[in-house]
Amino acid sequence: MSIHHRNIVARDNHPEITGVMQAASHEKSPLVHDDESEGMGELVDYEEALELHRVGKVQWITVLVCGMGNAIDAVEVLSVSFILPVLSNEVPSEHLGYLGAAVFVGMLVGAIVAGFCADKFGRKPVLVMAMFFNFLFMMGFSVSRGLWIMIAFRFMTGCGIGGAVPVVFTLASEVMPRSMRGTAISIVASFFMVGSIAVALLAWLTIPHGSWRLFVRVCSLPAACVSFLAFFVLKES
């Protein structure tokens, strides 16, 4: 449910916000439509319901999962920068820049496509698929051989990253009342720095003691975890 429209929520269909609807009814809110509620309970504006209903664990879990998704994006974007010196043994140095550029082109495409899909199919399924794309194509990149195959995998990884970026911020804002949206967005954004620190730590722990391929595989695993978590934990907005 988008926050950009004045959506109407039926109390009988959403028992978790019954108290919100009752409060709005007692206050004679102009957003409650008693004359239109026959057979479907009292109606209240979605934004009004969010404002009246206290922020609970469902909202905070949503913000946390969205923040983890943003951290994964940081890991995927920055991971290639740690392996470029090692990749110079397999890829001509004058072509290494293509690997970095491919992910950003993919992000552009992924963000545009995911924006339309999220409005049509919902935020949750798009986030689940974006995280799964990250895992799948990062894992593919870790076993790829040859410049153009590597570029293709980085491009597809970028599509997953770009698909997640608009969704994590939109989803976190849609489940929060106006008074808490700034806080929710700030929390989600701060996870990018968490991912940046995590990928540097992973590089320090794996690359000197293994190979760049091991490092990429390790970086791909959190995306699978977040995809699984989003599928089973998140509620559609």
Side-chain angles (χ1 to χ4, degrees):
M1 185 180 294
S2 173
I3 64 171
H4 303 300
H5 304 283
R6 301 188 65 78
N7 296 298
I8 303 300
V9 180
R11 183 179 67 185
D12 289 353
N13 295 333
H14 297 267
E16 69 275 12
I17 58 173
T18 298
V20 176
M21 308 311 174
Q22 290 174 338
S25 178
H26 293 157
E27 293 175 7
K28 306 294 184 182
S29 170
L31 299 177
V32 179
H33 306 283
D34 293 325
D35 57 336
E36 300 177 7
S37 60
E38 293 183 10
M40 57 185 301
E42 296 177 16
L43 302 177
V44 68
D45 179 78
Y46 178 67
E47 289 283 356
E48 187 74 7
L50 285 177
E51 289 295 331
L52 294 171
H53 191 54
R54 68 181 181 85
V55 177
K57 66 178 182 179
V58 172
Q59 286 98 323
W60 288 120
I61 288 173
T62 301
V63 171
L64 178 61
V65 174
C66 289
M68 293 170 65
N70 199 32
I72 298 303
D73 287 346
V75 171
E76 310 293 5
V77 169
L78 299 175
S79 60
V80 72
S81 64
F82 291 97
I83 63 176
L84 286 179
V86 184
L87 277 176
S88 60
N89 297 326
E90 301 182 29
V91 177
S93 56
E94 62 271 19
H95 295 155
L96 289 176
Y98 296 161
L99 292 173
V103 70
F104 292 107
V105 176
M107 288 175 66
L108 174 62
V109 175
I112 294 172
V113 174
F116 287 110
C117 291
D119 284 337
K120 185 174 180 61
F121 303 109
R123 320 297 187 202
K124 175 181 173 178
V126 172
L127 180 58
V128 170
M129 290 305 300
M131 289 291 104
F132 183 73
F133 262 50
N134 283 352
F135 163 71
L136 183 65
F137 292 109
M138 278 289 283
M139 193 65 73
F141 177 66
S142 72
V143 298
S144 61
R145 306 279 179 176
L147 174 64
W148 294 108
I149 296 177
M150 288 181 175
I151 290 174
F153 275 115
R154 287 302 292 169
F155 171 80
M156 294 305 299
T157 301
C159 290
I161 298 169
V165 169
V167 175
V168 294
F169 290 102
T170 304
L171 183 57
S173 66
E174 284 180 347
V175 300
M176 285 292 194
R178 291 188 186 96
S179 59
M180 292 292 293
R181 265 174 212 154
T183 301
I185 294 299
S186 298
I187 292 173
V188 173
S190 68
F191 270 81
F192 193 89
M193 278 63 78
V194 174
S196 302
I197 296 171
V199 71
L201 182 61
L202 287 174
W204 178 67
L205 290 173
T206 58
I207 294 178
H209 309 289
S211 69
W212 70 267
R213 296 181 186 276
L214 174 62
F215 167 67
V216 173
R217 291 186 192 111
V218 173
C219 288
S220 72
L221 295 178
C225 295
V226 173
S227 179
F228 180 85
L229 193 63
F231 181 81
F232 288 102
V233 172
L234 288 186
K235 307 294 183 183
E236 184 56 76
S237 63

